[in-house]
Amino acid sequence: MRACEEAVGYTFQDLSLLQAALTHTSIAATRLVSNERLEFLGDAILGCVIVDLLYHQCESEMEGAMTQMKSTIVSRVACARVSRALGLERFLLLGKGMERNKMPQSLLANMQESIIGALYLDGGMEVAKNYILRVFDEEIKDAIHGVTLKNFKMVLQHFVQRQFHTTPEYEVLDQKGPDHRKCFKAQVRIGEQTFQPAWGRNKKEAEQHAAENAMCQLESRPPIYPAD
């Protein structure tokens, strides 16, 4: 257990909590003594910490963008990646027939959430939060600064559905250039209202730029992309 505590970076007052977090249902006497209950708790704690972080750090982002960032961080893939980075697969207690070198991603993800639950019960919210912010640091940075912030179509759709109870429509207004280097001009329409169009290297990019222009106008900011 000491090696696992060193990997996690925390010394437990109640080692039975860490033991439970590492006990897979395949070796547990009953499911109640496996890590499944701690996983349930840890998932909620992880989500709460990440939502709080995004709310305060991403003040210029709408709900849709933050939702996508949260789903990237609080995901099976991210949790499994963190477990591997810490080398926690060495400590998971498995039943017969379970091969450690072929461990499914879901087991590593579930163990990560279970450990977060154990940290919360042993040391409180501050301990769990500090752990999450430390070990998920790269996942958080990648989500905030990554391509998820560029999906303005999704952000606009969430905003329009909530504010106007409809969905935005896109139309291509123009295209120019040779076939191998065409540019497209797209525009957003919300009901009877249209917004400043934008150019892009393809239809998808033009629609993204047009969506960002629409968000700027809806938030009373100057459009970013010129119409011509």
Side-chain angles (χ1 to χ4, degrees), residues 38-108:
L38 283 172
E39 174 200 338
F40 170 77
L41 176 62
D43 176 64
I45 299 298
L46 176 60
C48 178
V49 170
I50 296 303
V51 166
D52 180 73
L53 172 87
L54 295 176
Y55 182 83
H56 289 97
Q57 281 198 12
C58 304
E59 295 181 351
S60 63
E61 297 302 329
M62 297 297 298
E63 174 194 4
M66 291 191 293
T67 297
Q68 188 170 357
M69 284 185 272
K70 179 203 169 190
S71 67
T72 300
I73 302 165
V74 186
S75 68
R76 181 170 290 181
V77 172
C79 287
R81 197 152 46 210
V82 169
S83 288
R84 286 197 186 94
L86 297 176
L88 297 180
E89 69 274 11
R90 299 169 289 159
F91 308 112
L92 187 59
L93 304 174
L94 300 169
K96 291 181 180 180
M98 300 285 289
E99 297 184 43
R100 198 170 299 278
N101 60 346
K102 295 181 181 180
M103 193 178 295
Q105 182 174 262
S106 58
L107 267 65
L108 291 168

Side-chain angles (χ1 to χ4, degrees), residues 53-73 139-158 204-205 207-209 211-213 215-216 219 221 224-225:
L53 172 87
L54 295 176
Y55 182 83
H56 289 97
Q57 281 198 12
C58 304
E59 295 181 351
S60 63
E61 297 302 329
M62 297 297 298
E63 174 194 4
M66 291 191 293
T67 297
Q68 188 170 357
M69 284 185 272
K70 179 203 169 190
S71 67
T72 300
I73 302 165
E139 304 294 333
I140 292 167
K141 287 177 181 176
D142 287 347
I144 291 177
H145 301 295
V147 296
T148 54
L149 283 179
K150 303 302 181 185
N151 195 348
F152 291 103
K153 287 182 68 175
M154 185 199 70
V155 174
L156 179 65
Q157 180 167 320
H158 278 277
K204 183 176 180 181
E205 183 178 274
E207 289 178 354
Q208 287 284 1
H209 292 337
E212 187 170 6
N213 275 353
M215 280 304 309
C216 287
E219 294 174 345
R221 293 184 284 126
I224 293 175
Y225 300 99

Side-chain angles (χ1 to χ4, degrees), residues 117-206:
L119 287 167
Y120 170 76
L121 291 178
D122 194 74
M125 190 61 169
E126 198 63 25
V127 166
K129 178 179 179 179
N130 290 339
Y131 170 81
I132 290 167
L133 297 182
R134 174 168 54 85
V135 303
F136 281 83
D137 182 58
E138 290 302 317
E139 304 294 333
I140 292 167
K141 287 177 181 176
D142 287 347
I144 291 177
H145 301 295
V147 296
T148 54
L149 283 179
K150 303 302 181 185
N151 195 348
F152 291 103
K153 287 182 68 175
M154 185 199 70
V155 174
L156 179 65
Q157 180 167 320
H158 278 277
F159 180 86
V160 171
Q161 286 176 337
R162 186 173 64 250
Q163 297 293 327
F164 306 111
H165 308 291
T166 186
T167 55
E169 297 178 353
Y170 296 84
E171 50 189 331
V172 175
L173 302 178
D174 194 8
Q175 56 181 288
K176 60 185 178 182
D179 288 343
H180 65 288
R181 291 184 63 187
K182 274 192 182 298
C183 291
F184 295 85
K185 184 180 183 180
Q187 182 183 56
V188 175
R189 178 184 296 275
I190 301 172
E192 298 300 315
Q193 185 177 6
T194 58
F195 299 84
Q196 179 165 304
W199 287 92
R201 292 168 295 181
N202 51 54
K203 291 180 183 179
K204 183 176 180 181
E205 183 178 274

